[in-house]
Amino acid sequence: MDVAAKVFFSSPRFAVVGASQDPAKFGHKVLAWYLDHALPVTPINPRAASITISGIAHPTVPSVSALPSPEETSVSIITPPAVTLAVLREAKAAGVPAVWLQPGSFDSEGLAYAKKEFKAGVGGAGGMGGEGWCVLVDGEDGMSAASQELAGKL
């Protein structure tokens, strides 16, 4: 398990940039994954007041800087590469400790920025899926690694 993935899941809160109302989109699937795993998650979408999953409306915030506690929030990013670098810069300015760049959300500049500027930047080659690190494929291992480390400290 990548150390960055373990650090990512050590945060007490999570957010999904690019959260979508459309069940066919990965922004919806990743948000649902967090909810299915009972993790505290905030959807980020500047165009929707809420995202409904399993009949429950989850209020959104319009941007990373609008998160209630960005310094305690790891952020999954599912935006086009042209948007991702601006999201990363906003997250860095807001004090976000860790980011997870879903496959297809970054270019080489965005990936390099994420890995350099955050305590943990997950993305690029690796993970168990064929397209690189993905919360849907690698998230449970990351959560498990973070939980084991926390249990060892108690």
Side-chain angles (χ1 to χ4, degrees), residues 11-127:
S11 290
R13 302 168 197 257
F14 302 90
V16 176
V17 177
S20 174
Q21 188 70 23
D22 183 348
K25 293 194 171 193
F26 281 101
H28 186 92
K29 293 174 184 182
V30 170
L31 178 61
W33 184 91
Y34 282 102
L35 293 168
D36 289 346
H37 288 82
L39 294 170
V41 63
T42 301
I44 299 176
N45 184 316
R47 295 183 192 99
S50 65
I51 304 290
T52 301
I53 295 183
S54 300
I56 299 170
H58 301 276
T60 66
V61 297
S63 64
V64 173
S65 57
L67 288 167
S69 300
E71 69 285 347
E72 296 180 354
T73 306
S74 286
V75 176
S76 287
I77 300 175
I78 307 116
T79 55
V83 174
T84 297
L85 188 57
V87 171
L88 289 169
R89 288 183 174 136
E90 180 186 9
K92 174 72 175 167
V96 167
V99 294
W100 190 303
L101 302 178
Q102 285 294 118
S105 69
F106 58 89
D107 55 20
S108 59
E109 184 181 10
L111 181 60
Y113 186 91
K115 291 190 178 264
K116 179 181 178 206
E117 298 295 334
F118 293 90
K119 184 176 177 183
V122 183

